[in-house]
Amino acid sequence: DSGVTQTPKHLITATGQRVTLRCSPRSGDLSVYWYQQSLDQGLQFLIQYYNGEERAKGNILERFSAQQFPDLHSELNLSSLELGDSALYFCASRRVGGNTIYFGEGSWLTVV
Amino acid sequence: TQLLEQSPQFLSIQEGENLTVYCNSSSVFSSLQWYRQEPGEGPVLLVTVVTGGEVKKLKRLTFQFGDARKDSSLHITAAQPGDTGLYLCAGELRGAGSYQLTFGKGTKLSVIP
């Protein structure tokens, strides 16, 4: 158990819909990362938050957004969903000064 | 284009055989990490290599960081079925106030009893 909690574990939704994925980082970790993993693209960095502020952006679509709340949990919002958004979405966290990123078990999103 | 290229993509070997997985890039990384991911779980860190030429051993696993810090290899001796999984390399990129990992697509290893 990495200490990073993600919900829901599985989600099936229709095209055009909007979903929210939730992440609770390890206790005390201020940095939260979101990654998307698909068969053809591998693990792609989406966005990083540090103590409530956006720190870095990767290959995140404009239809996607994220935020980190004062209690440090984070949410990834995916809207106008397309079939190609079906993937495993990981949240990860890191403590200040550490170089180890701890991953949650992921949220499986299937868009039908 | 993928910043980190891993090879081979798939590897199926018999128990007891040795294997090497490669991770190559044209970029220089501050450090390089190797992860192992099992189905239904998130990647788990195996090792971090920081210095060019560094070699680290973890039981039957040997990790090497290239002298120029652009490539790395993972060698497994006498593979066991429990080694089956997806092996990912990740390069650390340090930007202004940020710490990011960029991942390769992974090598899917199957060790047949």
Side-chain angles (χ1 to χ4, degrees):
Chain A
D1 182 6
S2 67
V4 178
T5 304
Q6 290 187 246
T7 57
K9 290 196 185 302
H10 301 274
L11 189 57
I12 301 175
T13 190
T15 54
Q17 294 298 305
R18 171 191 167 95
V19 299
T20 297
L21 308 180
R22 194 179 191 278
C23 169
S24 293
R26 295 188 324 148
S27 177
D29 286 1
L30 300 182
S31 285
V32 168
Y33 301 78
W34 285 98
Y35 284 85
Q36 179 194 57
Q37 187 175 38
S38 59
L39 285 175
D40 56 342
Q41 292 296 321
L43 202 60
Q44 297 285 316
F45 168 66
L46 296 179
I47 197 164
Q48 176 200 356
Y49 277 82
Y50 176 80
N51 202 21
E53 293 188 3
E54 181 183 305
R55 185 57 64 93
K57 254 185 178 179
N59 302 319
I60 188 166
L61 299 173
E62 285 191 9
R63 301 183 285 108
F64 296 179
S65 65
Q67 54 184 327
Q68 186 180 26
F69 297 87
D71 67 352
L72 301 178
H73 91 272
S74 178
E75 292 181 354
L76 179 66
N77 302 296
L78 314 175
S79 62
S80 302
L81 285 167
E82 302 174 0
L83 295 177
D85 297 327
S86 295
L88 190 53
Y89 291 84
F90 284 107
C91 171
S93 72
R94 182 178 68 92
R95 64 174 173 81
V96 176
N99 63 3
T100 300
I101 289 182
Y102 294 88
F103 284 82
E105 293 186 346
S107 293
W108 274 103
L109 173 65
T110 302
V111 182
V112 297
Chain B
T1 55
Q2 196 76 11
L3 192 59
L4 277 167
E5 297 288 343
Q6 283 190 245
S7 61
Q9 275 189 283
F10 302 95
L11 190 55
S12 181
I13 62 170
Q14 294 289 328
E15 181 177 358
E17 293 183 350
N18 302 332
L19 67 113
T20 302
V21 174
Y22 299 93
C23 176
N24 295 297
S25 176
S26 57
S27 299
V28 177
F29 294 101
S30 302
S31 70
L32 198 135
Q33 301 184 354
W34 284 92
Y35 288 79
R36 180 163 161 256
Q37 184 180 12
E38 297 192 43
E41 298 181 10
V44 176
L45 179 68
L46 294 174
V47 78
T48 301
V49 284
V50 178
T51 307
E54 182 177 1
V55 176
K56 278 192 175 178
K57 291 193 175 184
L58 187 65
K59 296 183 181 178
R60 294 176 293 100
L61 278 61
T62 302
F63 305 85
Q64 185 162 7
F65 201 11
D67 291 341
R69 292 188 288 130
K70 293 182 179 181
D71 54 83
S72 181
S73 64
L74 158 61
H75 181 79
I76 300 179
T77 303
Q80 298 177 2
D83 296 327
T84 294
L86 179 67
Y87 289 83
L88 297 159
C89 67
E92 175 195 342
L93 298 169
R94 287 189 184 254
S98 72
Y99 168 95
Q100 294 179 51
L101 287 179
T102 185
F103 283 81
K105 288 189 178 182
T107 293
K108 193 167 185 180
L109 172 65
S110 295
V111 182
I112 303 165

